[in-house]
Amino acid sequence: MARSLAAEQRISLMGLLVLVTGFLPWWSVRWTYSEGTAHGQRTATVSAWQVSTIWTLALLLAAAAATAWAWWSWRSGCRPLLATVAAFACIVLAAVMLVAERGSPLSSLPGTRRFEWSMSFTDGPMPENHIAQSWMVRDQLLTYDDGHLTVGTAWGWWIGLAAVIAVSVLLALRLRVLSRVTGDM
């Protein structure tokens, strides 16, 4: 079935997939807990839409470029080389944005030679996801891993990046075909 789809449809579907991947878990916080006799690990995750403006913009850029190219190609009946190059450049920029916004290691920040975790004690119960909320501050992504606390990208980030790369590969294949037809490049 995929072979029978036109290039516009394949690229449109991949653009839609890029948007859908934004709802997967892109950022996770995993920590070890011990409460009385119970102990183990807890994990909290959030989507790209919830945790990063840059990831949101990258996903929207990739999907918009793919959709605009497919719409233009379908409407005009031709696939101009310039439009394909522009769409490909937008997709590559989106991929760079996704990779660049993976968070910086806590140890790389100025004045963080030593990491110290302090928690205040209150009379009431502490919310279960207090640790996760403190590491999931929108647009302030810091990665950390000490065995008891692991903070960083989750499996959804990899799927989102793969979807953006798939769109760029489809557009690169269109560029190759167009450059042969027009004799450019």
Side-chain angles (χ1 to χ4, degrees):
M1 178 181 167
R3 287 187 170 263
S4 67
L5 290 176
E8 298 90 2
Q9 292 171 325
R10 284 191 300 261
I11 292 175
S12 292
L13 287 174
M14 286 306 298
L16 180 62
L17 178 64
V18 165
L19 290 178
V20 170
T21 65
F23 293 100
L24 298 174
W26 277 49
W27 192 256
S28 71
V29 177
R30 176 178 293 137
W31 68 97
T32 304
Y33 72 94
S34 180
E35 296 169 355
T37 58
H39 60 280
Q41 284 197 338
R42 290 194 176 125
T43 302
T45 59
V46 290
S47 70
W49 308 117
Q50 295 170 304
V51 78
S52 173
T53 301
I54 292 177
W55 281 343
T56 299
L57 292 174
L59 291 175
L60 291 174
L61 177 64
T67 304
W69 179 88
W71 178 81
W72 175 265
S73 297
W74 172 78
R75 190 161 197 289
S76 67
C78 66
R79 294 167 187 92
L81 186 60
L82 183 59
T84 307
V85 169
F88 181 72
C90 287
I91 302 292
V92 170
L93 175 62
V96 169
M97 290 168 68
L98 293 180
V99 172
E101 180 65 12
R102 288 180 297 159
S104 57
L106 182 65
S107 59
S108 71
L109 297 176
T112 57
R113 295 183 185 203
R114 199 177 114 201
F115 179 70
E116 198 173 292
W117 188 274
S118 63
M119 297 181 76
S120 60
F121 293 96
T122 61
D123 290 338
M126 184 168 292
E128 183 178 312
N129 59 354
H130 175 72
I131 293 173
Q133 287 175 351
S134 65
W135 284 93
M136 291 183 178
V137 179
R138 184 172 179 86
D139 296 329
Q140 296 179 12
L141 303 179
L142 298 172
T143 61
Y144 185 74
D145 188 1
D146 75 352
H148 298 288
L149 175 66
T150 304
V151 182
T153 56
W155 60 271
W157 180 85
W158 292 100
I159 294 173
L161 182 63
V164 170
I165 289 171
V167 172
S168 69
V169 166
L170 288 174
L171 281 169
L173 292 173
R174 296 310 308 158
L175 275 173
R176 186 172 170 215
V177 168
L178 289 174
S179 65
R180 280 192 210 154
V181 170
T182 61
D184 295 340
M185 297 171 112

